[in-house]
Amino acid sequence: MSTTTKQWQMQDLGVDALQLREAPLREPGPGEVLVKVAAVSLNYRDLAMVQSGMGMKLDFPLVPGSDMAGTVVATGPGVQRFGRGQRVISTFWTQWLDGVIPPASTNGTALGGPLPGVLSQYLVLHENCLVKAPETLDPLAASTLTCAGLTAWFALVETGQLQAGQQVLVQGTGGVALWGAQIAQALGAEVVLTSASEDKLARARELGVQHTILRQPGGDWAAAVKAATGGQGVDQALELVGGANLGKTLAALKIGGRVSVIGVLEGFELSMPASLVLSVRPVIQGIGVGHRAALQRLVQAVDQHGIQPVVDAVYDFADLKAAIAHVERGAFGKVVVRVGD
């Protein structure tokens, strides 16, 4: 077993403070496994963590990244869930395994901040922090399930109980958005997707998205969503923008529909007209990724329905800073870093 591993470390806040370093690698202890990392999928959260720390108290040096696909190469005493050679992906919350989230489970228990993350050639993790990777996906695609895939799945299926024939609003073409579109289509729902880019709308149609709407300054895209759904509005919406956009999302919703608040690109302060809340009677829920059991069910759904996540670009391990810059300027789907062979 190797005694060292190359890994990216945050020496301080800021992309310029990222350094590729050699670090000691310990043997797996009781209940732990050693994973050879093949790929790491980047999220907007990773960009925010590197730039600002997201207001958390971080211990430097810190390895960023939370979404990993790899292979178990060694196991510690008492490991029962995995053996050598098994392909795995990481969970996001290390303590939230199933059910309603325990109050303490989101307090400092996320990989990639404040806990050490996954941008390393080798990792030692507790077996509870891993699930079996999809059989139908290569590691690059499999690495996108941990946050983006599970967030969309948890919103639409685990809590939203999505049914065939329903209509789903997806805003934008980032990782969560396209995962949401693909999950909805796989389960027989119709998708309405909005974007400010004609090119990205065309690419979404190539994925089979039924209704695409161009978001223009001053335009009433919510009315266009209503028109696309026969005047009824959508059953579920993934709110990926935040700020005052929530009010527009409510205007595109069917009476009694559900909004999953996920993104805050336009601000952490959400606003909406009270008249819409009273007339639409929406269910508004916040989504913070999901638990391990839901990730396992997503893996099964991916294999069952043949879902192929959209990977916009793949960067080599040494080119992490370029990959982060791609995330910052916006991607169509996911940006992935190839770590292993």
Side-chain angles (χ1 to χ4, degrees), residues 231-311:
Q232 297 299 307
V234 295
D235 297 276
Q236 292 198 51
L238 300 184
E239 173 54 65
L240 298 166
V241 180
N245 189 75
L246 177 58
K248 299 176 183 178
T249 301
L250 292 184
L253 202 66
K254 179 181 293 184
I255 292 177
R258 178 181 295 263
V259 177
S260 295
V261 178
I262 297 166
V264 289
L265 295 177
E266 289 191 0
F268 283 88
E269 296 293 329
L270 302 174
S271 62
M272 72 206 90
S275 59
L276 276 177
V277 177
L278 295 172
S279 61
V280 176
R281 299 172 179 83
V283 174
I284 302 175
Q285 63 180 14
I287 297 293
V289 195
H291 50 60
R292 191 186 73 187
L295 183 58
Q296 291 172 311
R297 288 190 282 271
L298 172 59
V299 168
Q300 294 169 355
V302 165
D303 284 338
Q304 177 184 353
H305 296 285
I307 299 173
Q308 288 289 326
V310 179
V311 175

Side-chain angles (χ1 to χ4, degrees), residues 100-238:
V100 177
I101 187 166
S105 288
T106 57
N107 183 20
T109 65
L111 296 177
L115 296 181
V118 299
L119 274 160
S120 181
Q121 291 176 319
Y122 290 90
L123 289 172
V124 175
L125 290 171
H126 196 278
E127 64 174 337
N128 286 341
C129 302
L130 300 165
V131 304
K132 180 183 175 183
E135 295 179 0
T136 54
L137 299 183
D138 64 24
L140 297 173
S143 70
T144 70
L145 272 74
T146 297
C147 278
L150 181 56
T151 297
W153 174 267
F154 206 80
L156 294 175
V157 181
E158 296 286 329
T159 58
Q161 299 296 303
L162 183 66
Q163 301 295 316
Q166 290 187 330
Q167 294 169 317
V168 173
L169 170 63
V170 171
Q171 302 177 47
T173 55
V176 175
L178 292 188
W179 258 109
Q182 291 183 290
I183 289 169
Q185 290 176 297
L187 298 183
E190 279 192 10
V191 175
V192 184
L193 183 145
T194 69
S195 172
S197 166
E198 286 278 20
D199 176 65
K200 289 180 177 179
L201 290 177
R203 294 173 70 180
R205 288 191 290 270
E206 292 175 359
L207 293 174
V209 171
Q210 293 93 338
H211 308 284
T212 57
I213 294 171
L214 182 66
R215 295 172 65 116
Q216 296 175 307
D220 191 351
W221 60 263
V225 172
K226 277 287 190 70
T229 57
Q232 297 299 307
V234 295
D235 297 276
Q236 292 198 51
L238 300 184

